[in-house]
Amino acid sequence: RPRVLSGIQPTADSFHFGNYLGALRQWVDLQRDHEPFFFIADLHAITVEQDPKVLRERTLRAAAQLLAMGIDPARSSIFVQSQVPEHAQLAWVLNCLTGFGEARRMTQFKDKSAKQGEGAASVGLFTYPILQAADILLYRPHFVPVGEDQRQHLELTRDLAQRFNSRYKKTFRLPEPYILKATAKICDLQEPTAKMSKSASSPSGIIEMLDDPKVSAKKIRSAVTDSGSEIRFDAEEKPGVSNLLTIFSALSGEPISALEEQYVGKGYGALKGDLADLVVTFVTPFRERTLELLDDQAHLTAVLQQGAETAGAVAEATLRDVYQRVGFVAPT
Ligand code: AQP
């Protein structure tokens, strides 16, 4: 079975629809015929300041949400990144293979550091993509399911893998991004040309999976739409309607063309009303299940520990090869 690896940061109380439709839904589907490793990226989270108590809570909330959406610990290794120390250890080796200019070209760092102001961004935020390369390469996965915003980081990962392989010895597999075009970029409901994002979106532009379903329905009903009244997918001319159609199609499984037909002669209000109902039907049981899982923290920590053991065995073997090839003396 091909191996897949992906991670998500525990930096919000709830995942949002961009995370879910862009990446997490694929995680669930890929479990069927792949060997998956999924982790909660707490090391990445501290690249910006975090309250320790909140970080701990959000890490467990992330685990509960992953289980509630259908990640099955019997099929997938689900773990917390900081519990597998090889991630940070391999990151150091890869840091030493990365050019400063190469790291500086990463657009996510440029965007995020610009927001924080000159000089305020941490060195950790700068080397974030290199830690991400380590996360991936340790497991030698075939595919990495992510949203479009991660494509550049995946390219860096492949470059570093290739550089290590040619400088030392073939050690890493070159992973392929697994990006589903239709949902690769879910957009902000209020600003439908920008991606839905926990740090950039306004509260009314983002649908959180654990929001009160009534609030989510209201956000859909007040989403920005475009001039005209025709319901048609056209990302250039009609980004607002196109984003709603994308979300509708992803949740209902109906192709966008079928939705376009269904709404001929109907107004934006009808589309938004139906989508709001669909969202409520989807998030209500998800929310209940997550809250139930959060009530049993012993179960959650046990699942995470089991995942860390399975992942740790793979990571340890890869790091041993790396250290040996780099020229470190092995302990006896
Ligand atoms: N709007 C989106 N559309 C499609 N995919 C998305 N992802 C995030 N936003 C969208 C994908 O979600 C996964 C988890 O990414 P993360 O842990 O890095 O989350 P994030 O990037 O911190 O989420 P945000 O909201 O995008 O955070 P900020 O605002 O801090 O940048 C990834 O696979 C990502 O592609």
Side-chain angles (χ1 to χ4, degrees):
R1 288 187 300 158
R3 192 176 275 179
V4 295
L5 174 290
S6 197
I8 182 140
Q9 299 188 75
T11 41
D13 287 339
S14 168
F15 296 146
H16 59 70
F17 265 49
N19 301 139
Y20 178 68
L21 297 177
L24 302 174
R25 211 167 53 121
Q26 281 67 263
W27 295 15
V28 177
D29 294 343
L30 286 165
Q31 292 182 110
R32 246 176 290 131
D33 42 14
H34 291 72
E35 184 196 358
F37 289 84
F38 298 131
F39 66 95
I40 301 164
D42 55 351
L43 297 179
H44 282 279
I46 63 161
T47 54
V48 294
E49 195 176 337
Q50 302 292 337
D51 177 296
K53 182 167 172 281
V54 174
L55 178 61
R56 214 168 280 124
E57 277 167 15
R58 286 177 168 174
T59 301
L60 292 178
R61 281 176 89 84
Q65 289 176 83
L66 292 175
L67 297 182
M69 66 183 57
I71 299 295
D72 175 1
R75 292 170 181 264
S76 301
S77 300
I78 156 172
F79 63 99
V80 178
Q81 187 185 24
S82 62
Q83 291 185 9
V84 182
E86 287 81 1
H87 287 244
Q89 292 172 294
L90 179 59
W92 177 254
V93 176
L94 298 180
N95 271 325
C96 298
L97 279 187
T98 310
F100 194 83
E102 190 177 27
R104 209 166 36 191
R105 280 197 292 277
M106 296 296 115
T107 53
Q108 196 174 78
F109 174 74
K110 285 193 213 165
D111 294 346
K112 293 198 170 180
S113 60
K115 269 184 220 145
Q116 291 187 23
E118 184 77 12
S122 70
V123 175
L125 189 68
F126 183 61
T127 61
Y128 180 117
I130 303 157
L131 175 59
Q132 189 174 335
D135 299 333
I136 297 168
L137 297 177
L138 271 179
Y139 299 90
R140 299 173 164 131
H142 297 78
F143 302 107
V144 183
V146 284
E148 183 61 40
D149 57 341
Q150 295 300 324
R151 190 183 287 279
Q152 193 189 31
H153 290 169
L154 248 298
E155 274 162 24
L156 176 71
T157 301
R158 290 169 57 90
D159 288 346
L160 292 175
Q162 202 145 29
R163 196 168 305 155
F164 188 98
N165 287 350
S166 62
R167 188 170 301 179
Y168 301 103
K169 181 177 177 200
K170 186 164 185 322
T171 304
F172 297 121
R173 174 176 282 129
L174 265 56
E176 298 287 342
Y178 181 92
I179 301 177
L180 289 193
K181 206 162 164 264
T183 50
K185 183 179 169 193
I186 300 297
C187 293
D188 184 314
L189 297 179
Q190 292 299 322
E191 209 186 312
T193 50
K195 79 163 191 172
M196 184 181 286
S197 138
K198 68 174 170 286
S199 57
S201 294
S202 67
S204 50
I206 180 171
I207 312 181
E208 297 198 347
M209 306 278 291
L210 295 176
D211 251 353
D212 178 344
K214 284 197 223 87
V215 172
S216 301
K218 198 164 163 222
K219 288 182 186 179
I220 296 277
R221 279 196 227 97
S222 38
V224 162
T225 31
D226 318 284
S227 56
S229 59
E230 200 190 347
I231 295 178
R232 154 172 77 81
F233 187 94
D234 181 338
E236 297 288 315
E237 298 289 322
K238 289 177 161 273
V241 172
S242 301
N243 191 37
L244 295 178
L245 284 170
T246 299
I247 298 173
F248 204 139
S249 165
L251 287 182
S252 66
E254 285 178 82
I256 287 185
S257 55
L259 293 170
E260 286 173 333
E261 254 172 59
Q262 214 172 298
Y263 285 95
V264 170
K266 295 187 185 161
Y268 293 152
L271 175 76
K272 289 187 197 175
D274 292 346
L275 178 56
D277 291 346
L278 190 61
V279 166
V280 170
T281 310
F282 173 71
V283 294
T284 303
F286 169 77
R287 192 165 175 254
E288 280 164 17
R289 181 82 190 112
T290 303
L291 297 178
E292 259 169 44
L293 284 156
L294 275 172
D295 270 345
D296 189 354
Q297 301 220 341
H299 171 67
L300 284 179
T301 50
V303 166
L304 293 172
Q305 189 175 333
Q306 176 58 52
E309 279 167 24
T310 314
V314 176
E316 194 188 336
T318 307
L319 191 77
R320 201 181 311 123
D321 287 349
V322 168
Y323 272 18
Q324 192 266 334
R325 284 159 196 185
V326 166
F328 295 162
V329 174
T332 49

